[in-house]
């Protein structure tokens, strides 16, 4: 008699994200790679709750705004079984430079003084503040100290610098290595 063989597949595939951006990230672009435990699967992707749509690995995004983002991906196997629990990755994009400045220590300065920075970063947070000085209007900066702990202050022994006029500034670096120099205090 004639025979017919068939396969029953009622088991949903499992989806795994294998490549993702760092968290936090200093880039508005993100690349993902993902896989399924069942060969021949197709995928559905979603970014920030916008709805699932067909996609393939690798899959990338550009122009992402600062803030938290969530990527989800589900595998669909050859029998049409959908992974009921999407593989999910959430990360913070912070492509904006930090800001802030240096509290004016007054003038003239003599002996040991304390310099205080006022850094701000609404994204990934402040990593460090580098305190610098330069001969007035020279634009050639010398590091006094680097502080990586709030409240971001440092002592400066002005006796190590020759008499004269100086400019002071800080360079603020956030946790994804965006950095910016402050306005100079003359």
């Amino acid at each position: 008699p004639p025979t017919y063989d068939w396969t029953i597949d009622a088991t949903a595939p499992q989806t795994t994200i294998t490549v993702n951006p760092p968290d936090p990230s200093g880039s508005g672009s993100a690349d993902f790679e993902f896989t399924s435990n069942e060969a021949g699967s197709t995928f559905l992707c979603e970014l920030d709750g916008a709805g699932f749509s067909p996609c393939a690995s690798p899959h990338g995004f550009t122009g992402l705004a600062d803030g938290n983002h969530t990527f989800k991906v589900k595998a669909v196997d050859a029998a049409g079984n959908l992974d009921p629990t999407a593989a999910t990755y959430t990360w913070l994009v912070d492509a904006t430079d930090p800001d802030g400045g240096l509290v004016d220590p007054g003038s003239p300065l003599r002996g040991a003084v304390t310099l205080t920075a006022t850094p701000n970063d609404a994204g990934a947070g402040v990593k460090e503040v580098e305190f610098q000085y330069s001969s007035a209007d020279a634009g050639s900066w010398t590091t006094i100290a680097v502080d990586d702990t709030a409240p971001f202050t440092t002592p400066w022994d002005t006796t190590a610098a020759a008499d004269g006029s100086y400019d002071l500034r800080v360079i603020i670096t956030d946790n994804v290595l965006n950095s910016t120099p402050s306005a100079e205090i003359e």
Side-chain angles (χ1 to χ4, degrees), residues 146-171:
V146 176
D147 189 1
D148 63 0
T149 307
F152 302 104
T153 62
T154 192
W156 182 33
D157 181 6
T158 62
T159 61
D163 287 350
S165 295
Y166 289 90
D167 297 329
L168 295 170
R169 74 175 186 182
V170 291
I171 296 178

mmCIF file with all atom_site columns, all heavy atoms in Angstrom, residues 146-171:
data_model
loop_
_atom_site.group_PDB
_atom_site.id
_atom_site.type_symbol
_atom_site.label_atom_id
_atom_site.label_alt_id
_atom_site.label_comp_id
_atom_site.label_asym_id
_atom_site.label_entity_id
_atom_site.label_seq_id
_atom_site.pdbx_PDB_ins_code
_atom_site.Cartn_x
_atom_site.Cartn_y
_atom_site.Cartn_z
_atom_site.occupancy
_atom_site.B_iso_or_equiv
_atom_site.pdbx_formal_charge
_atom_site.auth_seq_id
_atom_site.auth_comp_id
_atom_site.auth_asym_id
_atom_site.auth_atom_id
_atom_site.pdbx_PDB_model_num
ATOM 1   N N   . VAL A 1 146 ? 43.256 64.607 37.596 1.00 0.00 ? 146 VAL A N   1
ATOM 2   C CA  . VAL A 1 146 ? 42.034 63.998 37.073 1.00 0.00 ? 146 VAL A CA  1
ATOM 3   C C   . VAL A 1 146 ? 41.294 63.400 38.265 1.00 0.00 ? 146 VAL A C   1
ATOM 4   O O   . VAL A 1 146 ? 41.880 62.652 39.051 1.00 0.00 ? 146 VAL A O   1
ATOM 5   C CB  . VAL A 1 146 ? 42.349 62.904 36.030 1.00 0.00 ? 146 VAL A CB  1
ATOM 6   C CG1 . VAL A 1 146 ? 41.076 62.216 35.574 1.00 0.00 ? 146 VAL A CG1 1
ATOM 7   C CG2 . VAL A 1 146 ? 43.112 63.493 34.852 1.00 0.00 ? 146 VAL A CG2 1
ATOM 8   N N   . ASP A 1 147 ? 40.012 63.762 38.399 1.00 0.00 ? 147 ASP A N   1
ATOM 9   C CA  . ASP A 1 147 ? 39.199 63.258 39.508 1.00 0.00 ? 147 ASP A CA  1
ATOM 10  C C   . ASP A 1 147 ? 38.038 62.453 38.940 1.00 0.00 ? 147 ASP A C   1
ATOM 11  O O   . ASP A 1 147 ? 37.315 62.926 38.070 1.00 0.00 ? 147 ASP A O   1
ATOM 12  C CB  . ASP A 1 147 ? 38.676 64.432 40.348 1.00 0.00 ? 147 ASP A CB  1
ATOM 13  C CG  . ASP A 1 147 ? 37.996 63.984 41.633 1.00 0.00 ? 147 ASP A CG  1
ATOM 14  O OD1 . ASP A 1 147 ? 37.945 62.768 41.897 1.00 0.00 ? 147 ASP A OD1 1
ATOM 15  O OD2 . ASP A 1 147 ? 37.506 64.860 42.371 1.00 0.00 ? 147 ASP A OD2 1
ATOM 16  N N   . ASP A 1 148 ? 37.865 61.229 39.443 1.00 0.00 ? 148 ASP A N   1
ATOM 17  C CA  . ASP A 1 148 ? 36.784 60.371 38.951 1.00 0.00 ? 148 ASP A CA  1
ATOM 18  C C   . ASP A 1 148 ? 35.709 60.114 40.002 1.00 0.00 ? 148 ASP A C   1
ATOM 19  O O   . ASP A 1 148 ? 34.926 59.179 39.893 1.00 0.00 ? 148 ASP A O   1
ATOM 20  C CB  . ASP A 1 148 ? 37.343 59.043 38.424 1.00 0.00 ? 148 ASP A CB  1
ATOM 21  C CG  . ASP A 1 148 ? 38.035 58.223 39.493 1.00 0.00 ? 148 ASP A CG  1
ATOM 22  O OD1 . ASP A 1 148 ? 38.101 58.665 40.664 1.00 0.00 ? 148 ASP A OD1 1
ATOM 23  O OD2 . ASP A 1 148 ? 38.518 57.126 39.169 1.00 0.00 ? 148 ASP A OD2 1
ATOM 24  N N   . THR A 1 149 ? 35.661 60.983 41.008 1.00 0.00 ? 149 THR A N   1
ATOM 25  C CA  . THR A 1 149 ? 34.693 60.813 42.089 1.00 0.00 ? 149 THR A CA  1
ATOM 26  C C   . THR A 1 149 ? 34.028 62.147 42.423 1.00 0.00 ? 149 THR A C   1
ATOM 27  O O   . THR A 1 149 ? 34.719 63.149 42.624 1.00 0.00 ? 149 THR A O   1
ATOM 28  C CB  . THR A 1 149 ? 35.400 60.276 43.355 1.00 0.00 ? 149 THR A CB  1
ATOM 29  O OG1 . THR A 1 149 ? 36.133 59.097 43.010 1.00 0.00 ? 149 THR A OG1 1
ATOM 30  C CG2 . THR A 1 149 ? 34.406 59.949 44.439 1.00 0.00 ? 149 THR A CG2 1
ATOM 31  N N   . ALA A 1 150 ? 32.689 62.135 42.479 1.00 0.00 ? 150 ALA A N   1
ATOM 32  C CA  . ALA A 1 150 ? 31.969 63.331 42.906 1.00 0.00 ? 150 ALA A CA  1
ATOM 33  C C   . ALA A 1 150 ? 32.393 63.650 44.335 1.00 0.00 ? 150 ALA A C   1
ATOM 34  O O   . ALA A 1 150 ? 32.636 62.737 45.107 1.00 0.00 ? 150 ALA A O   1
ATOM 35  C CB  . ALA A 1 150 ? 30.468 63.104 42.820 1.00 0.00 ? 150 ALA A CB  1
ATOM 36  N N   . PRO A 1 151 ? 32.563 64.887 44.676 1.00 0.00 ? 151 PRO A N   1
ATOM 37  C CA  . PRO A 1 151 ? 32.074 66.109 44.052 1.00 0.00 ? 151 PRO A CA  1
ATOM 38  C C   . PRO A 1 151 ? 33.032 66.746 43.041 1.00 0.00 ? 151 PRO A C   1
ATOM 39  O O   . PRO A 1 151 ? 32.854 67.912 42.686 1.00 0.00 ? 151 PRO A O   1
ATOM 40  C CB  . PRO A 1 151 ? 31.843 67.034 45.252 1.00 0.00 ? 151 PRO A CB  1
ATOM 41  C CG  . PRO A 1 151 ? 32.913 66.650 46.223 1.00 0.00 ? 151 PRO A CG  1
ATOM 42  C CD  . PRO A 1 151 ? 33.077 65.166 46.042 1.00 0.00 ? 151 PRO A CD  1
ATOM 43  N N   . PHE A 1 152 ? 34.032 66.042 42.543 1.00 0.00 ? 152 PHE A N   1
ATOM 44  C CA  . PHE A 1 152 ? 34.929 66.497 41.487 1.00 0.00 ? 152 PHE A CA  1
ATOM 45  C C   . PHE A 1 152 ? 35.656 67.789 41.889 1.00 0.00 ? 152 PHE A C   1
ATOM 46  O O   . PHE A 1 152 ? 35.392 68.873 41.378 1.00 0.00 ? 152 PHE A O   1
ATOM 47  C CB  . PHE A 1 152 ? 34.198 66.657 40.151 1.00 0.00 ? 152 PHE A CB  1
ATOM 48  C CG  . PHE A 1 152 ? 33.553 65.380 39.697 1.00 0.00 ? 152 PHE A CG  1
ATOM 49  C CD1 . PHE A 1 152 ? 32.185 65.201 39.802 1.00 0.00 ? 152 PHE A CD1 1
ATOM 50  C CD2 . PHE A 1 152 ? 34.320 64.343 39.197 1.00 0.00 ? 152 PHE A CD2 1
ATOM 51  C CE1 . PHE A 1 152 ? 31.587 64.017 39.403 1.00 0.00 ? 152 PHE A CE1 1
ATOM 52  C CE2 . PHE A 1 152 ? 33.735 63.146 38.801 1.00 0.00 ? 152 PHE A CE2 1
ATOM 53  C CZ  . PHE A 1 152 ? 32.356 62.991 38.904 1.00 0.00 ? 152 PHE A CZ  1
ATOM 54  N N   . THR A 1 153 ? 36.584 67.626 42.819 1.00 0.00 ? 153 THR A N   1
ATOM 55  C CA  . THR A 1 153 ? 37.438 68.720 43.265 1.00 0.00 ? 153 THR A CA  1
ATOM 56  C C   . THR A 1 153 ? 38.879 68.242 43.228 1.00 0.00 ? 153 THR A C   1
ATOM 57  O O   . THR A 1 153 ? 39.150 67.038 43.193 1.00 0.00 ? 153 THR A O   1
ATOM 58  C CB  . THR A 1 153 ? 37.101 69.159 44.703 1.00 0.00 ? 153 THR A CB  1
ATOM 59  O OG1 . THR A 1 153 ? 37.335 68.058 45.581 1.00 0.00 ? 153 THR A OG1 1
ATOM 60  C CG2 . THR A 1 153 ? 35.663 69.638 44.820 1.00 0.00 ? 153 THR A CG2 1
ATOM 61  N N   . THR A 1 154 ? 39.791 69.212 43.252 1.00 0.00 ? 154 THR A N   1
ATOM 62  C CA  . THR A 1 154 ? 41.202 68.848 43.355 1.00 0.00 ? 154 THR A CA  1
ATOM 63  C C   . THR A 1 154 ? 41.972 70.002 43.990 1.00 0.00 ? 154 THR A C   1
ATOM 64  O O   . THR A 1 154 ? 41.647 71.174 43.766 1.00 0.00 ? 154 THR A O   1
ATOM 65  C CB  . THR A 1 154 ? 41.815 68.497 41.981 1.00 0.00 ? 154 THR A CB  1
ATOM 66  O OG1 . THR A 1 154 ? 43.095 67.888 42.186 1.00 0.00 ? 154 THR A OG1 1
ATOM 67  C CG2 . THR A 1 154 ? 41.985 69.725 41.105 1.00 0.00 ? 154 THR A CG2 1
ATOM 68  N N   . PRO A 1 155 ? 42.985 69.684 44.780 1.00 0.00 ? 155 PRO A N   1
ATOM 69  C CA  . PRO A 1 155 ? 43.860 70.748 45.282 1.00 0.00 ? 155 PRO A CA  1
ATOM 70  C C   . PRO A 1 155 ? 44.854 71.144 44.194 1.00 0.00 ? 155 PRO A C   1
ATOM 71  O O   . PRO A 1 155 ? 45.246 70.321 43.366 1.00 0.00 ? 155 PRO A O   1
ATOM 72  C CB  . PRO A 1 155 ? 44.577 70.081 46.467 1.00 0.00 ? 155 PRO A CB  1
ATOM 73  C CG  . PRO A 1 155 ? 44.561 68.621 46.142 1.00 0.00 ? 155 PRO A CG  1
ATOM 74  C CD  . PRO A 1 155 ? 43.313 68.380 45.339 1.00 0.00 ? 155 PRO A CD  1
ATOM 75  N N   . TRP A 1 156 ? 45.235 72.413 44.175 1.00 0.00 ? 156 TRP A N   1
ATOM 76  C CA  . TRP A 1 156 ? 46.247 72.887 43.228 1.00 0.00 ? 156 TRP A CA  1
ATOM 77  C C   . TRP A 1 156 ? 47.242 73.729 43.997 1.00 0.00 ? 156 TRP A C   1
ATOM 78  O O   . TRP A 1 156 ? 46.878 74.752 44.594 1.00 0.00 ? 156 TRP A O   1
ATOM 79  C CB  . TRP A 1 156 ? 45.606 73.686 42.105 1.00 0.00 ? 156 TRP A CB  1
ATOM 80  C CG  . TRP A 1 156 ? 46.573 74.178 41.062 1.00 0.00 ? 156 TRP A CG  1
ATOM 81  C CD1 . TRP A 1 156 ? 47.713 73.564 40.640 1.00 0.00 ? 156 TRP A CD1 1
ATOM 82  C CD2 . TRP A 1 156 ? 46.481 75.384 40.306 1.00 0.00 ? 156 TRP A CD2 1
ATOM 83  N NE1 . TRP A 1 156 ? 48.338 74.299 39.662 1.00 0.00 ? 156 TRP A NE1 1
ATOM 84  C CE2 . TRP A 1 156 ? 47.588 75.432 39.432 1.00 0.00 ? 156 TRP A CE2 1
ATOM 85  C CE3 . TRP A 1 156 ? 45.565 76.423 40.275 1.00 0.00 ? 156 TRP A CE3 1
ATOM 86  C CZ2 . TRP A 1 156 ? 47.821 76.483 38.548 1.00 0.00 ? 156 TRP A CZ2 1
ATOM 87  C CZ3 . TRP A 1 156 ? 45.789 77.467 39.380 1.00 0.00 ? 156 TRP A CZ3 1
ATOM 88  C CH2 . TRP A 1 156 ? 46.900 77.490 38.529 1.00 0.00 ? 156 TRP A CH2 1
ATOM 89  N N   . ASP A 1 157 ? 48.486 73.310 43.966 1.00 0.00 ? 157 ASP A N   1
ATOM 90  C CA  . ASP A 1 157 ? 49.563 74.066 44.603 1.00 0.00 ? 157 ASP A CA  1
ATOM 91  C C   . ASP A 1 157 ? 50.088 75.059 43.577 1.00 0.00 ? 157 ASP A C   1
ATOM 92  O O   . ASP A 1 157 ? 50.882 74.707 42.702 1.00 0.00 ? 157 ASP A O   1
ATOM 93  C CB  . ASP A 1 157 ? 50.667 73.129 45.075 1.00 0.00 ? 157 ASP A CB  1
ATOM 94  C CG  . ASP A 1 157 ? 51.806 73.868 45.759 1.00 0.00 ? 157 ASP A CG  1
ATOM 95  O OD1 . ASP A 1 157 ? 51.681 75.100 45.964 1.00 0.00 ? 157 ASP A OD1 1
ATOM 96  O OD2 . ASP A 1 157 ? 52.807 73.218 46.092 1.00 0.00 ? 157 ASP A OD2 1
ATOM 97  N N   . THR A 1 158 ? 49.651 76.299 43.684 1.00 0.00 ? 158 THR A N   1
ATOM 98  C CA  . THR A 1 158 ? 50.020 77.312 42.688 1.00 0.00 ? 158 THR A CA  1
ATOM 99  C C   . THR A 1 158 ? 51.488 77.697 42.757 1.00 0.00 ? 158 THR A C   1
ATOM 100 O O   . THR A 1 158 ? 51.995 78.330 41.827 1.00 0.00 ? 158 THR A O   1
ATOM 101 C CB  . THR A 1 158 ? 49.144 78.577 42.858 1.00 0.00 ? 158 THR A CB  1
ATOM 102 O OG1 . THR A 1 158 ? 49.383 79.145 44.147 1.00 0.00 ? 158 THR A OG1 1
ATOM 103 C CG2 . THR A 1 158 ? 47.677 78.244 42.694 1.00 0.00 ? 158 THR A CG2 1
ATOM 104 N N   . THR A 1 159 ? 52.186 77.296 43.826 1.00 0.00 ? 159 THR A N   1
ATOM 105 C CA  . THR A 1 159 ? 53.610 77.635 43.916 1.00 0.00 ? 159 THR A CA  1
ATOM 106 C C   . THR A 1 159 ? 54.435 76.869 42.881 1.00 0.00 ? 159 THR A C   1
ATOM 107 O O   . THR A 1 159 ? 55.580 77.232 42.612 1.00 0.00 ? 159 THR A O   1
ATOM 108 C CB  . THR A 1 159 ? 54.171 77.361 45.325 1.00 0.00 ? 159 THR A CB  1
ATOM 109 O OG1 . THR A 1 159 ? 54.027 75.958 45.624 1.00 0.00 ? 159 THR A OG1 1
ATOM 110 C CG2 . THR A 1 159 ? 53.430 78.196 46.372 1.00 0.00 ? 159 THR A CG2 1
ATOM 111 N N   . ALA A 1 160 ? 53.844 75.822 42.283 1.00 0.00 ? 160 ALA A N   1
ATOM 112 C CA  . ALA A 1 160 ? 54.547 75.059 41.250 1.00 0.00 ? 160 ALA A CA  1
ATOM 113 C C   . ALA A 1 160 ? 54.501 75.773 39.900 1.00 0.00 ? 160 ALA A C   1
ATOM 114 O O   . ALA A 1 160 ? 55.228 75.405 38.973 1.00 0.00 ? 160 ALA A O   1
ATOM 115 C CB  . ALA A 1 160 ? 53.939 73.675 41.116 1.00 0.00 ? 160 ALA A CB  1
ATOM 116 N N   . ALA A 1 161 ? 53.665 76.823 39.763 1.00 0.00 ? 161 ALA A N   1
ATOM 117 C CA  . ALA A 1 161 ? 53.574 77.594 38.517 1.00 0.00 ? 161 ALA A CA  1
ATOM 118 C C   . ALA A 1 161 ? 54.261 78.939 38.719 1.00 0.00 ? 161 ALA A C   1
ATOM 119 O O   . ALA A 1 161 ? 54.248 79.511 39.811 1.00 0.00 ? 161 ALA A O   1
ATOM 120 C CB  . ALA A 1 161 ? 52.105 77.803 38.141 1.00 0.00 ? 161 ALA A CB  1
ATOM 121 N N   . ALA A 1 162 ? 54.870 79.437 37.667 1.00 0.00 ? 162 ALA A N   1
ATOM 122 C CA  . ALA A 1 162 ? 55.543 80.735 37.735 1.00 0.00 ? 162 ALA A CA  1
ATOM 123 C C   . ALA A 1 162 ? 54.511 81.845 37.936 1.00 0.00 ? 162 ALA A C   1
ATOM 124 O O   . ALA A 1 162 ? 53.342 81.703 37.576 1.00 0.00 ? 162 ALA A O   1
ATOM 125 C CB  . ALA A 1 162 ? 56.340 80.980 36.454 1.00 0.00 ? 162 ALA A CB  1
ATOM 126 N N   . ASP A 1 163 ? 54.942 82.970 38.505 1.00 0.00 ? 163 ASP A N   1
ATOM 127 C CA  . ASP A 1 163 ? 54.046 84.117 38.641 1.00 0.00 ? 163 ASP A CA  1
ATOM 128 C C   . ASP A 1 163 ? 53.556 84.536 37.265 1.00 0.00 ? 163 ASP A C   1
ATOM 129 O O   . ASP A 1 163 ? 54.290 84.466 36.275 1.00 0.00 ? 163 ASP A O   1
ATOM 130 C CB  . ASP A 1 163 ? 54.771 85.295 39.304 1.00 0.00 ? 163 ASP A CB  1
ATOM 131 C CG  . ASP A 1 163 ? 55.002 85.081 40.799 1.00 0.00 ? 163 ASP A CG  1
ATOM 132 O OD1 . ASP A 1 163 ? 54.443 84.110 41.345 1.00 0.00 ? 163 ASP A OD1 1
ATOM 133 O OD2 . ASP A 1 163 ? 55.732 85.889 41.404 1.00 0.00 ? 163 ASP A OD2 1
ATOM 134 N N   . GLY A 1 164 ? 52.306 84.975 37.189 1.00 0.00 ? 164 GLY A N   1
ATOM 135 C CA  . GLY A 1 164 ? 51.750 85.425 35.919 1.00 0.00 ? 164 GLY A CA  1
ATOM 136 C C   . GLY A 1 164 ? 50.264 85.161 35.867 1.00 0.00 ? 164 GLY A C   1
ATOM 137 O O   . GLY A 1 164 ? 49.647 84.704 36.833 1.00 0.00 ? 164 GLY A O   1
ATOM 138 N N   . SER A 1 165 ? 49.692 85.468 34.730 1.00 0.00 ? 165 SER A N   1
ATOM 139 C CA  . SER A 1 165 ? 48.260 85.246 34.514 1.00 0.00 ? 165 SER A CA  1
ATOM 140 C C   . SER A 1 165 ? 48.036 83.879 33.886 1.00 0.00 ? 165 SER A C   1
ATOM 141 O O   . SER A 1 165 ? 48.783 83.471 32.988 1.00 0.00 ? 165 SER A O   1
ATOM 142 C CB  . SER A 1 165 ? 47.693 86.329 33.594 1.00 0.00 ? 165 SER A CB  1
ATOM 143 O OG  . SER A 1 165 ? 47.772 87.586 34.227 1.00 0.00 ? 165 SER A OG  1
ATOM 144 N N   . TYR A 1 166 ? 46.979 83.211 34.345 1.00 0.00 ? 166 TYR A N   1
ATOM 145 C CA  . TYR A 1 166 ? 46.669 81.872 33.866 1.00 0.00 ? 166 TYR A CA  1
ATOM 146 C C   . TYR A 1 166 ? 45.189 81.748 33.537 1.00 0.00 ? 166 TYR A C   1
ATOM 147 O O   . TYR A 1 166 ? 44.347 82.447 34.095 1.00 0.00 ? 166 TYR A O   1
ATOM 148 C CB  . TYR A 1 166 ? 47.035 80.816 34.915 1.00 0.00 ? 166 TYR A CB  1
ATOM 149 C CG  . TYR A 1 166 ? 48.525 80.651 35.081 1.00 0.00 ? 166 TYR A CG  1
ATOM 150 C CD1 . TYR A 1 166 ? 49.230 81.412 36.002 1.00 0.00 ? 166 TYR A CD1 1
ATOM 151 C CD2 . TYR A 1 166 ? 49.219 79.748 34.294 1.00 0.00 ? 166 TYR A CD2 1
ATOM 152 C CE1 . TYR A 1 166 ? 50.599 81.273 36.153 1.00 0.00 ? 166 TYR A CE1 1
ATOM 153 C CE2 . TYR A 1 166 ? 50.585 79.596 34.434 1.00 0.00 ? 166 TYR A CE2 1
ATOM 154 C CZ  . TYR A 1 166 ? 51.270 80.363 35.354 1.00 0.00 ? 166 TYR A CZ  1
ATOM 155 O OH  . TYR A 1 166 ? 52.619 80.216 35.486 1.00 0.00 ? 166 TYR A OH  1
ATOM 156 N N   . ASP A 1 167 ? 44.892 80.815 32.629 1.00 0.00 ? 167 ASP A N   1
ATOM 157 C CA  . ASP A 1 167 ? 43.527 80.402 32.345 1.00 0.00 ? 167 ASP A CA  1
ATOM 158 C C   . ASP A 1 167 ? 43.334 79.027 32.963 1.00 0.00 ? 167 ASP A C   1
ATOM 159 O O   . ASP A 1 167 ? 44.264 78.212 33.015 1.00 0.00 ? 167 ASP A O   1
ATOM 160 C CB  . ASP A 1 167 ? 43.278 80.305 30.830 1.00 0.00 ? 167 ASP A CB  1
ATOM 161 C CG  . ASP A 1 167 ? 43.427 81.638 30.117 1.00 0.00 ? 167 ASP A CG  1
ATOM 162 O OD1 . ASP A 1 167 ? 43.138 82.675 30.742 1.00 0.00 ? 167 ASP A OD1 1
ATOM 163 O OD2 . ASP A 1 167 ? 43.821 81.637 28.933 1.00 0.00 ? 167 ASP A OD2 1
ATOM 164 N N   . LEU A 1 168 ? 42.114 78.763 33.439 1.00 0.00 ? 168 LEU A N   1
ATOM 165 C CA  . LEU A 1 168 ? 41.767 77.460 34.001 1.00 0.00 ? 168 LEU A CA  1
ATOM 166 C C   . LEU A 1 168 ? 40.572 76.908 33.242 1.00 0.00 ? 168 LEU A C   1
ATOM 167 O O   . LEU A 1 168 ? 39.720 77.662 32.756 1.00 0.00 ? 168 LEU A O   1
ATOM 168 C CB  . LEU A 1 168 ? 41.386 77.594 35.478 1.00 0.00 ? 168 LEU A CB  1
ATOM 169 C CG  . LEU A 1 168 ? 42.470 78.044 36.437 1.00 0.00 ? 168 LEU A CG  1
ATOM 170 C CD1 . LEU A 1 168 ? 41.865 78.360 37.801 1.00 0.00 ? 168 LEU A CD1 1
ATOM 171 C CD2 . LEU A 1 168 ? 43.532 76.967 36.569 1.00 0.00 ? 168 LEU A CD2 1
ATOM 172 N N   . ARG A 1 169 ? 40.496 75.577 33.149 1.00 0.00 ? 169 ARG A N   1
ATOM 173 C CA  . ARG A 1 169 ? 39.336 74.910 32.562 1.00 0.00 ? 169 ARG A CA  1
ATOM 174 C C   . ARG A 1 169 ? 39.299 73.481 33.063 1.00 0.00 ? 169 ARG A C   1
ATOM 175 O O   . ARG A 1 169 ? 40.249 72.996 33.694 1.00 0.00 ? 169 ARG A O   1
ATOM 176 C CB  . ARG A 1 169 ? 39.368 74.932 31.036 1.00 0.00 ? 169 ARG A CB  1
ATOM 177 C CG  . ARG A 1 169 ? 40.385 73.970 30.433 1.00 0.00 ? 169 ARG A CG  1
ATOM 178 C CD  . ARG A 1 169 ? 40.314 73.923 28.932 1.00 0.00 ? 169 ARG A CD  1
ATOM 179 N NE  . ARG A 1 169 ? 41.196 72.904 28.401 1.00 0.00 ? 169 ARG A NE  1
ATOM 180 C CZ  . ARG A 1 169 ? 41.364 72.667 27.112 1.00 0.00 ? 169 ARG A CZ  1
ATOM 181 N NH1 . ARG A 1 169 ? 40.714 73.394 26.219 1.00 0.00 ? 169 ARG A NH1 1
ATOM 182 N NH2 . ARG A 1 169 ? 42.177 71.711 26.700 1.00 0.00 ? 169 ARG A NH2 1
ATOM 183 N N   . VAL A 1 170 ? 38.191 72.802 32.767 1.00 0.00 ? 170 VAL A N   1
ATOM 184 C CA  . VAL A 1 170 ? 38.077 71.367 33.014 1.00 0.00 ? 170 VAL A CA  1
ATOM 185 C C   . VAL A 1 170 ? 37.648 70.695 31.717 1.00 0.00 ? 170 VAL A C   1
ATOM 186 O O   . VAL A 1 170 ? 37.009 71.319 30.863 1.00 0.00 ? 170 VAL A O   1
ATOM 187 C CB  . VAL A 1 170 ? 37.068 71.030 34.143 1.00 0.00 ? 170 VAL A CB  1
ATOM 188 C CG1 . VAL A 1 170 ? 37.579 71.485 35.485 1.00 0.00 ? 170 VAL A CG1 1
ATOM 189 C CG2 . VAL A 1 170 ? 35.691 71.594 33.857 1.00 0.00 ? 170 VAL A CG2 1
ATOM 190 N N   . ILE A 1 171 ? 38.026 69.446 31.575 1.00 0.00 ? 171 ILE A N   1
ATOM 191 C CA  . ILE A 1 171 ? 37.519 68.609 30.488 1.00 0.00 ? 171 ILE A CA  1
ATOM 192 C C   . ILE A 1 171 ? 36.688 67.522 31.159 1.00 0.00 ? 171 ILE A C   1
ATOM 193 O O   . ILE A 1 171 ? 37.191 66.765 31.996 1.00 0.00 ? 171 ILE A O   1
ATOM 194 C CB  . ILE A 1 171 ? 38.641 68.001 29.636 1.00 0.00 ? 171 ILE A CB  1
ATOM 195 C CG1 . ILE A 1 171 ? 39.413 69.119 28.942 1.00 0.00 ? 171 ILE A CG1 1
ATOM 196 C CG2 . ILE A 1 171 ? 38.069 67.011 28.628 1.00 0.00 ? 171 ILE A CG2 1
ATOM 197 C CD1 . ILE A 1 171 ? 40.570 68.655 28.104 1.00 0.00 ? 171 ILE A CD1 1
#
